Amino acid sequence: MADDAERRAFLAGHPAAALVSAEMPLRANLSVLENIAIVPQYRENLDYDRAAHRAWKLLERAGATGCALKRDPDLSFEERFIAKLLRAMVTSPPIILIERPALLLPDTDYPAWLERTLDALAADFNQCWILDYRWNEPLYAPR
């Protein structure tokens, strides 16, 4: 994106996409597992056990079961990102949009970390787009 106006217009033009963003906080009173499971509970009317099982399987594939019972204030940047990514991913939306990863992963070599994480979860999503400013384009390999 060239600027913030273009970013906002892009987001508005893709309402069916699931957003992973610094502006989309986790629910602080829920664990990571509960933050992920709540989505299919409400969108698909799944009971908690089935929704939590689905969330746990995603956490396993991401290699992040260690953060399942943590709440937002106790999470590292990477764990918080995984929680947000899996929350977006849990209902198999047509597109997942990761918005400005540097805001989400400030302490991480995020292009390489994102590539490894998305590769591990590739079977669990349709499309994943990284929404960032144009000057950061060289940081990302085409997906």
Side-chain angles (χ1 to χ4, degrees):
M1 305 287 118
D3 56 25
D4 195 57
E6 186 177 346
R7 180 185 68 82
R8 290 181 185 278
F10 184 87
L11 290 172
H14 294 84
L19 185 60
V20 179
S21 171
E23 295 175 11
M24 303 280 295
L26 296 173
R27 295 184 61 131
N29 64 320
L30 300 179
S31 69
V32 167
L33 183 68
E34 293 165 331
N35 263 287
I36 299 165
I38 199 168
V39 176
Q41 283 180 278
Y42 286 98
R43 291 199 177 164
E44 299 174 18
N45 200 29
L46 282 185
D47 62 70
Y48 175 77
D49 290 338
R50 288 178 55 204
H53 178 74
R54 187 187 295 178
W56 184 263
K57 290 297 183 186
L58 286 171
L59 283 163
E60 283 181 329
R61 285 193 282 284
T65 56
C67 70
L69 300 179
K70 291 182 181 180
R71 294 176 193 255
D72 188 37
D74 301 322
L75 297 173
S76 68
F77 290 114
E78 292 86 356
E79 291 168 333
R80 188 172 293 111
F81 178 87
I82 289 289
K84 289 180 178 191
L85 177 64
L86 299 183
R87 181 180 61 184
M89 201 179 271
V90 72
T91 58
S92 301
I95 302 167
I96 295 169
L97 292 175
I98 299 173
E99 181 188 24
R100 297 179 293 173
L103 289 176
L104 296 160
L105 298 163
D107 295 351
T108 307
D109 176 15
Y110 65 91
W113 189 88
L114 270 176
E115 186 172 350
R116 286 190 307 273
T117 302
L118 294 174
D119 284 348
L121 294 164
D124 298 300
F125 60 86
N126 298 311
Q127 294 184 56
C128 183
W129 299 350
I130 296 174
L131 185 61
D132 208 338
Y133 294 110
R134 285 196 182 110
W135 56 83
N136 286 330
E137 187 175 357
L139 297 175
Y140 306 106
R143 293 197 69 77

